[in-house]
Amino acid sequence: MGKLMRLELFNFKSYRGHHTLLFGDSYFTSIIGPNGSGKSNSMDAISFVLGIKSSHLRSSNLRDLVYRGRVLRTSRINNDGSATQLAGEDGAESGSATQASQSERADPKTAWVMAVFEDDAGEEQLWKRSITSQATSEYRINDRVVTAQQYNEALEAENILIKARNFLVFQGDVEAIASQSPKDLTRLIEQISGSLEYKADYERLKEASEQAAENQTFNLNRRRGINSEIKQYQEQKREADSYEKKAEERDQAIVTHILWKLFHFQRVMDESTTEIQQHQDELKELRRGLKKYEARLEEAKKSQAKAKREVTTVERAIASQQKEIDQQKNGLVPIDEKIAITSRRLKDFAEKVAEIDKEEASQSSTVKKLNKDLAVVEKAQARWEGEWEKTAQQEGRELTASDLQEYKTLREQVNARASADQTRVDALARQLKTDEETVNNLKSKRDAAQWQSQKLDEEIQEMANRKLTLEHQVQSASDEIDGKKKELNVLASERQRTAQMHTELEEKLQAVLRELLEADDGRRQSEREIRMKETIATLKRIYPGVRGRVGELCKPKQKKYSEAVSTVLGRHFDSVVVDTEKTAKDCIQYLRDQRAGQATFIPLDTIQVKGISSNLKGMHPGMRMAIDTIEYEHALERAMSYACGNAMVCDDLSIAKYLCYEKGVEAKAVTLDGTVIHKGGLMTGGRGPGQSNAKRWEDSEIEGFRRMRDKYLAELGALPKENRRGMAEETLQGELTGLEQRLRYGREELKGLARNLDGKTKEADFARRQLAEADGKHDEHGRALQRLRDELAGFQAAVSEVEDEVFRPFCQRLAFRDIRDYEAQQGSRQQEAAQARLQFTTQKSRLESQLSFETQRLQTTRARIARLHERSAHDQQLLADLHAERAEIERTLASLTTDLDVLRAQLGEQLEKQAKRAERVADRRREVQKRSKEVESRLKLVASLEADVQRNAAGRYALWRKCKLEEIELPLAEGSAGLDAIPVNEGLHADPDAMDVDEDEDGGRTDDPAADYGVQVDFDALDAELKEHADEQVDDELQEKIATLAAELDKMAPNMRALERLEGVENRLRGTEKDFEAARKAAKKCKDDFQAVKEKRFELFHRAFTHISDQIGPVYKDLTKSAQLPLGGQAYLDMEDSDEPYLDGIKYHAMPPMKRFRDMEHLSGGEKTIAALALLFAVHSYQPSPFFVLDEVDAALDNANVARIANYIRDHAGPGMQFIVISLKTGLFQNSEALVGIYRDQTANSSEALTLDLRKYR
C-alpha cells in the first residue's frame, strides 16, 4: 500500500499563500505546535483534500475555508488560528494602521489543498481539491479536472473509503465513539462493511415479499371457500328434490287429520243440542214450583224483620239510657276530683297560714327587739354626755394665769404671722368634719342596703325552692296523665285491633271463598309463580336495569322446540337478566329486606360467556344449537348464550346418541321430547304429559283452601264481640279529667309564683343597684376625705413651723416638746368625745334602718295572711257546693238505673220472639234452597252441554279458519259455500270463556252457537274406522304422522335456489384459480429477490464484524498491557441479533486490567479513550487505508497511557500503515520518526510549517 508524502496548502484557513507539510518516508509523523498555531487546520486540510464535506470541518460553507487576512499585528490569535483585534494604546495610530493594512492587502477569493500520494509502484499521484471564486469545489487528479464521483473512485481504488472515514479521527471523536449506543456501532460497521448500501433494497423487497405472501394467502382462502360452497350447493340441490316429495305427503296427512276432527266436532254438536232441549223442558216445571216456595219465604222474612225492628227500638232505648247513666257517672269523676283538689288546697292553705304566722311572730319579735335596742343606745348616749361634762369641769385648767396669758399672747403672734394658713386650716378642719360625717352616713346606708339585699336573696331562694316543688308536682301530674292516656289508648287500640282483625279475617275468608269458586276454571297459577311475577314487576319498577326472566325474554322459533328449550334452560329458566352487576346486588338486597324469596341474576356487563364452538355447527342435519332455536333481542345475546351454553337440540334420541357416543362431542344434547344426554354420557329419560301430577296439585290446592276457610271461620268465632266501652275505660277517662284539672290548678299557681319570684328578683336587683351606688359614693367620698386630710396636713405643717418658732421658749420652760403636745393633751378629750358621739350616731342610724325594713316586712306578711284567709273561705264554700252537686247526680243515677232494668226485661221478651220467627225463616229458606239446587243442577248440565257445543263449534271454526289462511283444500259437499265465506277477523258467536248471556222465558239461548256459514264438508273420503273412533290415541297417531313428516322436512331444510347459485359459484372458482396462480408466482419472485439481498447484506456485515471482533481483543490487550500487567485487559463485541445483526445493536465491552467487568459509561475518561482507540484500530484494520490521521486523541490520557499509545503506533507503523498524529503530549511525539512543527508567523499573519526527521538523532 502507498503512503502520503506531503501536503501542499494555498490560502487554506490560517495558511496564507503556499505552504508544504512534508511527511517524507516517515511512517510515524507527529504534528505539533502551540495552541492557536493552526495545527488542527492541517487535519482539516487532509480531510478537505480527501473529499470530506465542509460541515465536518468546523465551517458552515466552503467560503469560510479560504484564508482571511484582515488581522493587525495588535490582534490576538485564537485557538483555531483566527485573530481577534485588540484596542491600541493610541486610537489614532490604530486607525491609521487599519487603513494602511486594508490598502496594502485584499482578501483572497480562492484556495486549494493538494495531497501527494505515492502508490505501491512508487509513482506519485496528485490529488487536488480547490475552492473557486464562486465558492464551489473543483477536483483534480494529476492536474486533470475530474468529477467528485471520479475523485472518490480514485481514492477508493487506494482503499481510502470516504463514506466510512475509518482513517480520520477528529478532535473529540474518541469520546463520542466511547459513549456511542449499540445501534450507532452497528451503523459504523455497516458503513465499514458496505452493507449499508443494501439497506434501502432490503426494506423495499421485505415489504414487497410480505405483501405478496399476504395476497397469496388471501387468494388461497378464497379458493377454499368457493370449493366449500360448491359442495354445499350440490348437497342442497339433492335435499330440495327430496323435500318437495315429502311436502306432498305431509299436506295429505294434514287434510286427513282436519277431516277427522271436523267430523267428530259435528257429531258432538248434534248430540248435545238434543239433550239441551230435553233439559230446557224440565226446567220450566221446576221454576214454577220454586216461585211458590220463594213467596212463602218472603212472608216469613217480613215477620222476622218486624220483630227485629222492635228489638232494635228497645236496644236503642237501652243504649240511650245507658249513655245517660255513663254521662252521669262521668260527671261524678270531675266533681270527685274537684272535691279532692279543693280539700288538698284547703290543707295547703292551712299549712301556709301556720308557716306565715310563724314568720309574722318572728318578725314582730325582731321589731320589738330593734325598738328596745334603739332606746338603750339613746339612753347610753344621754348618760355619756352627762359624765363627759362632769369630767371636763373637774380637769379644766393645769396652767397658771400668767402662763395662760403668755399662751394667748403667743397664740396671737402665731395667728398674726400664719393667719392665712391658719384660716385655711380652720376651714379645712370644718370641711373635714363635715365629710367624715357624710362618709359615716354613707357607710350606714351601705350596710343597710347590704343587709336588705341578703334578706331578699334568702326570700328568692325560698320562693325558688317552692317553685321547684310545684314544678315537680306539675311534672308528676303530667306524667300520671300520660300514663293514663297510654292505658286509655291501649284499651282503645285493643278494641280497634279486634275490629281490624275481624275485618281482615272477613276479607281473607271472602278471598278464600272466591278461590274455591274459581277453582274449576282450570287456569290457575301456582302461588309461587304469582309471587315471583309480582316480585319481578316490582323490581322492574324500582330498578330500570331489570330486563325480566329468561323464560319471558325468549321464545322457541317453532312450537316443537318448546320442550327441548325448557329442558336446556333448566335452572336458568327463572333467572333474572339485569344490565349491570350493581343492579343485581341492589335487587338481591331488596329481596333480603322484603323477605321476598330467592332469585338468580345474570348481569350483562360481567357475565363470563364461553364462545360456541364453531366445530359443532353443521355436524348433522337433525341437530341445531340451542341458541339457534330461540328468538330474543340482540341486546340479550350474552345472557342467552350463558343460559344455553354449547347445548344441542336433536330431532330424536338416535341423533343425540350418534353425536355424543360415536362422534364424541362433549356437549349436552337434548331431544325434542326432553331426553337429555349430558357431557359425561349420563342420560335422563324423557318427560310424560304430566296431567296426573297437575291434577294432584289442583286437588291439594283446593283442599288447602278449604282448610283455610275453616281456620278463618274458627278465628272469627274466637274473637270477642264488639261492645260499648268498658267500665275500666270510663274510669280511666274520669281519672284523666281530674288529673288534667289538678294540673291546670298547679300550673296557675306556678305562674303566680313565677310572677312573685320575678317581682322579688327585680327588688333584689334594685337593692343590689342601691348597694353598688352606695359603695360607689362611699368610696368616692372616702377618696375625697383622704385628699382633704392630705391638704390639711400640708397647711398644718406650715402653721406648725410658725408655732414651733414662736412657742419654743414657752415650751422649753414648761417642759413640753412643742405647743402641739400641750394642745393635744387638752384636745384629746374633745376628740374622744367626738369619736364617742360618732359611734352613738352610727348605731342609731343602723338600728333605725333595720327597724324601718323589718316594720315594712311585717306589714307585708300580715297582708299575705289576710289574702290566704280569704282564699281559704272561698274554697270552703266551693267544697260545700261540690258536695251538694254530687248528691244530686247520685239521686239521678238511681232513677236511671231503675228505668234501665225495666228496658232490659222488655228486650229479653222481644229477643225470644225474634228467635222463633228466625227459626221459621230458616226452615222456609232450606226448602227454597233445596229446590234451587235442583234448578241449578239442571242449569249446570245445560251450561255444560252448551259449553260442549260452543267448544266444538269454536274448534270447527278454528279449523275452517286455519284451512282458509293456510290455503288447505278440504273436500266440500255439492252446493256448499266455499271457505271464503268463513270470516277471518271475527270471533265465534259463542266463547267457552265468555260470561253467561240472558235467557228467554223458555230458558233458550238467543244466539246460535253452531253457525256453519253455509259450509258443508264432504266426509266420504274419511275412512270408516276413523269415523268410529274419537279418542286421543287416534289424534296422537295422526299428529305423530304429521309431526314425523314435518320433522323430516325440518331436518332437510333445503335451499330451493341451490341450482342457480351453484352455477355462479363455479364461474367464480375459475376466476379465483387464475388469481391464485398469479399471486403464487409473484410471492415466489419477491421472496427470492429479498432472500438474495438479505444474504448479501448479511455476508458483508458478518465478514466485517468477524474481522473486527477478532482484532478488538488483541488490540486492546496491546494497548493496556505493561511490565506489571503483561496480560493486559480484555475487550469483545456482542451481537444482540445473530440472525440479522444489522437490525439490532452491537455492544462493546472492555475490561481494564485488574478490574471487574463494568459498562462502558462507568469507566474513567482514560479507560474510555483506550477502549475507543482499540475499537478504532480494530475497525481500521478491516480494509485499512494507507494512512491513519489522529487529532489530539491523547488529550484525556495520563503519561502511562500516552506511552502505551506511542508504543503501539511505533510498533505498527510501517509499510502499509502510516500514522499522522496531532498531539501536544511529549510522551507521544518524542517516539515519532518525524515532526512537523506548526507555528504562527505574526509578521506574515499566517501559520507556517517545518519538518524535522528525528531518526537522525537516534
Side-chain angles (χ1 to χ4, degrees), residues 5 117 152 209 288 336 396 416 542 659 844 850 881 919 928 941 964 1022 1027 1048 1089 1092 1139 1159 1185 1212 1217 1244 1256:
M5 299 299 293
F117 181 79
N152 287 335
S209 176
R288 282 195 290 269
D336 292 340
I542 297 175
L659 294 174
K844 286 172 64 178
Q850 290 181 359
D881 295 341
E919 183 64 27
V928 171
L941 290 174
K964 178 179 179 180
L1022 189 63
K1027 291 180 180 180
E1048 292 176 358
D1089 294 344
D1139 294 333
D1159 291 335
S1185 62
H1212 290 80
M1217 179 59 71
K1256 298 177 182 180

Side-chain angles (χ1 to χ4, degrees), residues 758-1031:
D758 186 55
K760 287 293 183 181
T761 303
K762 291 180 180 178
E763 291 181 11
D765 293 339
F766 178 73
R768 280 191 288 270
R769 287 196 299 273
Q770 284 185 332
L771 177 61
E773 184 178 355
D775 282 338
K777 289 181 179 181
H778 178 268
D779 294 340
E780 182 180 358
H781 283 80
R783 289 190 296 271
L785 181 62
Q786 185 61 38
R787 287 194 299 271
L788 187 62
R789 286 172 178 167
D790 294 339
E791 186 179 0
L792 177 61
F795 286 105
Q796 187 69 45
V799 173
S800 297
E801 185 178 355
V802 175
E803 287 177 345
D804 290 341
E805 183 181 353
V806 173
F807 283 100
R808 185 175 292 109
F810 180 79
C811 292
Q812 290 176 356
R813 183 172 56 84
L814 297 177
F816 287 108
R817 187 177 56 186
D818 52 33
I819 194 62
R820 290 182 296 279
D821 186 21
Y822 165 73
E823 292 177 349
Q825 290 180 3
Q826 295 296 321
S828 60
R829 293 187 177 276
Q830 298 293 333
Q831 187 176 0
E832 289 176 0
Q835 186 66 28
R837 291 190 184 95
L838 178 61
Q839 290 179 357
F840 283 120
T841 302
T842 302
Q843 289 181 4
K844 286 172 64 178
S845 176
R846 181 175 59 81
L847 289 173
E848 288 173 355
S849 297
Q850 290 181 359
L851 180 60
S852 175
F853 174 76
E854 290 295 337
T855 302
Q856 183 180 0
R857 185 180 176 195
L858 178 61
Q859 292 174 357
T860 302
T861 303
R862 289 172 177 172
R864 287 174 59 196
I865 293 172
R867 287 197 298 272
L868 286 175
H869 283 301
E870 292 177 1
R871 292 177 62 184
S872 177
H874 177 270
D875 287 346
Q876 288 176 355
Q877 182 61 39
L878 177 62
L879 184 62
D881 295 341
L882 289 174
H883 281 296
E885 185 177 355
R886 189 176 189 283
E888 181 63 26
I889 291 174
E890 288 177 349
R891 287 193 294 272
T892 305
L893 275 175
S895 175
L896 292 173
T897 303
T898 303
D899 295 341
L900 181 61
D901 293 339
V902 174
L903 290 173
R904 284 177 177 171
Q906 293 178 2
L907 178 61
E909 296 175 358
Q910 294 295 336
L911 288 175
E912 185 178 356
K913 182 178 179 182
Q914 180 186 357
K916 293 179 180 179
R917 293 182 180 180
E919 183 64 27
R920 186 171 59 184
V921 169
D923 294 339
R924 294 185 179 181
R925 181 178 287 114
R926 284 192 289 270
E927 291 291 335
V928 171
Q929 289 176 351
K930 179 179 179 182
R931 283 156 179 77
S932 296
K933 288 181 180 179
E934 294 180 2
V935 174
E936 289 177 1
S937 64
R938 295 301 177 92
L939 288 174
K940 286 182 180 180
L941 290 174
V942 171
S944 176
L945 293 171
E946 288 179 346
D948 291 341
V949 172
Q950 292 171 357
R951 190 162 47 249
N952 285 277
R956 182 181 66 177
Y957 168 77
L959 290 174
W960 283 348
R961 186 174 181 273
K962 177 181 178 182
C963 292
K964 178 179 179 180
L965 293 176
E966 299 180 5
E967 297 182 354
I968 300 174
E969 296 183 0
L970 290 177
L972 301 177
E974 186 176 355
S976 171
L979 292 179
D980 295 336
I982 303 298
V984 177
N985 296 325
E986 298 178 5
L988 288 175
H989 292 287
D991 187 351
D993 297 330
M995 295 177 61
D996 292 339
V997 299
D998 294 336
E999 299 179 353
D1000 57 12
E1001 294 180 356
D1002 297 332
R1005 297 283 183 176
T1006 60
D1007 59 352
D1008 184 8
D1012 56 8
Y1013 304 102
V1015 177
Q1016 296 182 2
V1017 181
D1018 186 2
F1019 297 107
D1020 293 340
L1022 189 63
D1023 293 341
E1025 184 177 357
L1026 293 176
K1027 291 180 180 180
E1028 293 177 359
H1029 298 88
D1031 53 4

Side-chain angles (χ1 to χ4, degrees), residues 372-392:
K372 183 179 180 180
D373 292 342
L374 182 60
V376 170
V377 170
E378 290 176 347
K379 185 177 181 181
Q381 183 180 6
R383 187 172 58 253
W384 177 83
E385 288 288 347
E387 292 177 354
W388 185 82
E389 290 178 356
K390 187 183 294 183
T391 302

Side-chain angles (χ1 to χ4, degrees), residues 62-74:
L62 290 174
R63 197 180 300 277
D64 295 337
L65 301 177
V66 180
Y67 173 81
R68 287 180 290 181
R70 299 192 191 106
V71 181
L72 301 178
R73 294 179 180 178
T74 56

Side-chain angles (χ1 to χ4, degrees), residues 439-501:
V439 169
N440 291 331
N441 291 333
L442 289 174
K443 184 175 182 301
S444 299
K445 289 182 179 180
R446 185 188 64 180
D447 294 341
Q450 186 174 4
W451 182 79
Q452 185 177 6
S453 177
Q454 291 176 355
K455 294 297 291 183
L456 287 172
D457 288 340
E458 292 175 359
E459 292 182 2
I460 289 173
Q461 183 62 36
E462 182 181 353
M463 296 177 74
N465 295 334
R466 176 58 182 167
K467 182 180 178 183
L468 289 175
T469 303
L470 282 176
E471 287 177 349
H472 178 71
Q473 293 176 357
V474 168
Q475 184 62 36
S476 175
S478 179
D479 294 342
E480 191 173 355
I481 288 173
D482 292 340
K484 296 295 183 181
K485 285 183 178 179
K486 288 181 181 179
E487 293 180 14
L488 187 62
N489 290 335
V490 168
L491 292 176
S493 299
E494 185 66 24
R495 187 180 71 253
Q496 293 176 359
R497 188 182 66 82
T498 302
Q500 184 177 359
M501 289 179 59

